[in-house]
Amino acid sequence: MIKKNALITGITGQDGAWLAKFLIKKGYKVHGMIRRSSSINTKRIDDIFQEPFIKNKNLYLYYGDLTDTSSIQNIIIKSNPDEIYNLGAQSHVKVSYETPEYTTDVNGMGTLRILESIRNLKLGKKVKFYQASSSEMFGSTKPPQSEKSLFAPQSPYAAGKLYSYWITKIYREAYNIYASNGILFNHESKFRGDTFVTKKICKSVAKISKNKQKKIILGNLYAKRDWGDARDYVEGVWRILQYKKPDDFVLSTGKSFSVKEFVEIAFKYVGIKVIWKGKGLKEIGINSKTKKVIVSVSKLYFRPTEVDFLRGNSNKARRELKWKNKINLNKMISDMIDFELNNL
Ligand code: NAP
Ligand code: G4F
């Protein structure tokens, strides 16, 4: 049987790494775009990396960048993909206020560059294209948010993603390209980047439980997110491209928790009960046994505009794709903390 070729942008990131492992298990040949960096950034995929001289390899890596059209075209030609998963992005919402132009170039124009390459190379009939759209696009829209909800982006990140969402739909309709959007709510795992709130909390909780850190300093404790496990979500991403026609799907758990609740669950897992005192920037979390401050708040981590409440409705994906999330929040948090404890 001829193996399918999948090209993943963002293969060194959280989702790219999980998706690459998932597709290799399914028998795909996986091709990934990686960025040149001064220190090696492939740690999430080192376990599946194979030396260049191995025959019948199933993982191929190419240097490229979503801001560089020629590299995108060359990688598409070399990898001859059946499926392209565009996961590459400047994915940090807070950072997008500090680098708005770059974020828009990568997250918005990067998608257009891939779609134009598909069109120019006349691959419209052969290639299926997946765009990593985000629940951040819903912004201030009232939950639960579904494929039918209005978009009200609140950050340069979300505005760039919304451009990509629309250009994906436009190329689908204008040029008959199989191009789909997955509108994914927050999903986490041991591979999450260190500066996202769940990873920051789990890493700190592990260290605090072993007396290697005193406290966690956080921003808005009252933002609510619909957090799922990345391992479930990459399966959903793959299912989106196996659907009978190109379409757009929300993936979410349907349950929301605040950052504060996440902190409580994480500390509970290591046997610490948090007692809260104070308000606003003066709010603190205290270890009920030792009476030491283990959580405090700093305006450094607040955003100029915030998305207060995300909770998804993924009925369409559950019905049409037979997708479901299997890993609950407690299991996801305990896996993330166990990973950090093992690393200590
Ligand atoms: P991530 O861990 O931050 O990974 C982002 C990936 O994009 C990394 O491989 C990064 O490379 C690569 N990248 C960044 N800038 C690039 C550029 N200019 N050219 C090529 N590649 C570039 O993000 P993630 O959590 O896996 O998310 C995957 C995608 O889903 C992103 O598009 C994100 O916006 C979207 N999304 C994520 C979530 C979520 O909750 N995780 C929810 C909805 C949508 P380096 O390793 O070199 O930095
Ligand atoms: O973990 P976060 O940085 O994720 P955010 O902003 O929801 O974005 C993530 O999910 C999106 C899907 O909805 C993706 F599209 C995007 O690429 C990314 O993966 O922040 C979550 C919440 C925010 O409300 C933030 O204000 O946590 C709040 N928060 C409170 N203290 C903090 C902190 N966020 C971070 N990063 N660091 C803090 O100290």
Side-chain angles (χ1 to χ4, degrees):
M1 201 180 78
I2 299 169
K3 283 185 170 186
K4 271 195 196 171
N5 280 315
L7 170 60
I8 304 176
T9 71
I11 194 168
T12 54
Q14 169 185 253
D15 292 3
W18 284 122
L19 182 65
K21 293 173 214 278
F22 176 87
L23 292 177
I24 285 173
K25 270 203 197 133
K26 284 241 168 259
Y28 280 70
K29 270 191 185 175
V30 172
H31 304 257
M33 174 194 278
I34 57 166
R35 296 194 292 170
R36 195 267 157 186
S37 80
S38 64
S39 48
I40 291 171
N41 61 358
T42 54
K43 67 173 190 292
R44 297 181 177 107
I45 50 170
D46 280 348
D47 59 321
I48 51 171
F49 180 74
Q50 295 155 307
E51 295 300 336
F53 49 79
I54 288 182
K55 275 192 189 158
N56 301 319
K57 283 180 9 150
N58 49 27
L59 179 67
Y60 299 80
L61 300 177
Y62 313 82
Y63 284 111
D65 199 294
L66 285 165
T67 59
D68 182 325
T69 307
S70 57
S71 71
I72 294 172
Q73 284 212 8
N74 286 336
I75 295 173
I76 293 179
I77 292 168
K78 279 188 206 151
S79 61
N80 187 26
D82 300 288
E83 296 170 9
I84 299 178
Y85 296 88
N86 183 30
L87 310 184
Q90 190 302 89
S91 73
H92 203 284
V93 174
K94 173 105 193 314
V95 173
S96 78
Y97 295 92
E98 281 143 51
T99 58
E101 197 177 321
Y102 173 72
T103 301
T104 307
D105 194 10
V106 179
N107 298 6
M109 291 295 288
T111 309
L112 178 65
R113 291 182 185 111
I114 301 178
L115 287 165
E116 268 294 281
S117 301
I118 293 174
R119 192 170 77 88
N120 290 332
L121 295 168
K122 304 198 174 11
L123 297 175
K125 291 242 151 39
K126 177 186 184 275
V127 173
K128 291 179 175 181
F129 174 77
Y130 172 87
Q131 170 56 20
S133 287
S134 164
S135 53
E136 276 289 306
M137 301 185 315
F138 294 120
S140 56
T141 296
K142 224 173 126 217
Q145 295 101 352
S146 74
E147 296 82 3
K148 291 187 179 139
S149 299
L150 287 176
F151 296 116
Q154 298 290 309
S155 63
Y157 168 83
K161 282 283 175 182
L162 193 53
Y163 171 80
S164 283
Y165 167 87
W166 279 115
I167 204 68
T168 298
K169 278 172 91 77
I170 289 166
Y171 271 58
R172 177 200 303 165
E173 279 151 32
Y175 304 117
N176 213 9
I177 295 174
Y178 187 116
S180 297
N181 283 290
I183 308 173
L184 272 52
F185 282 65
N186 297 50
H187 45 278
E188 320 293 315
S189 71
K190 65 179 180 179
F191 287 155
R192 192 49 143 153
D194 284 338
T195 57
F196 294 91
V197 79
T198 58
K199 179 70 159 186
K200 183 171 163 183
I201 295 168
C202 292
K203 204 169 186 170
S204 300
V205 164
K207 285 187 178 168
I208 291 169
S209 74
K210 299 286 172 201
N211 291 321
K212 290 188 185 296
Q213 184 176 322
K214 289 198 170 116
K215 64 173 182 176
I216 323 173
I217 307 175
L218 293 167
N220 181 4
L221 295 175
Y222 294 93
K224 286 187 165 176
R225 289 291 181 274
D226 177 334
W227 279 296
D229 192 293
R231 291 166 287 184
D232 285 338
Y233 284 51
V234 295
E235 186 189 333
V237 163
W238 172 76
R239 283 178 185 262
I240 288 172
L241 284 201
Q242 311 314 308
Y243 192 54
K244 59 187 179 217
K245 61 181 175 66
D247 205 341
D248 307 320
F249 294 93
V250 160
L251 298 184
S252 65
T253 71
K255 291 187 184 128
S256 271
F257 296 86
S258 66
V259 171
K260 193 170 173 176
E261 286 168 316
F262 193 106
V263 168
E264 287 168 358
I265 299 169
F267 271 116
K268 192 173 172 202
Y269 181 65
V270 295
I272 297 174
K273 182 172 163 41
V274 188
I275 294 171
W276 299 97
K277 283 197 177 151
K279 274 197 175 156
L281 290 176
K282 298 229 167 83
E283 184 157 11
I284 47 171
I286 295 169
N287 181 330
S288 70
K289 269 198 197 132
T290 63
K291 309 291 180 224
K292 284 188 179 152
V293 176
I294 48 176
V295 186
S296 68
V297 174
S298 165
K299 64 175 180 211
L300 192 68
Y301 298 112
F302 280 77
R303 289 149 192 209
T305 41
E306 175 64 284
V307 171
D308 293 318
F309 191 0
L310 292 175
R311 179 160 59 85
N313 168 346
S314 51
N315 288 347
K316 181 176 170 187
R318 289 167 199 274
R319 186 181 65 242
E320 298 295 321
L321 306 176
K322 310 283 172 249
W323 175 79
K324 58 180 176 211
N325 59 302
K326 300 169 199 135
I327 305 168
N328 69 25
L329 186 75
N330 281 292
K331 167 82 175 132
M332 182 191 92
I333 293 178
S334 58
D335 283 357
M336 287 176 76
I337 296 177
D338 285 344
F339 176 73
E340 299 302 332
L341 287 170
N342 281 337
N343 280 347
L344 284 180

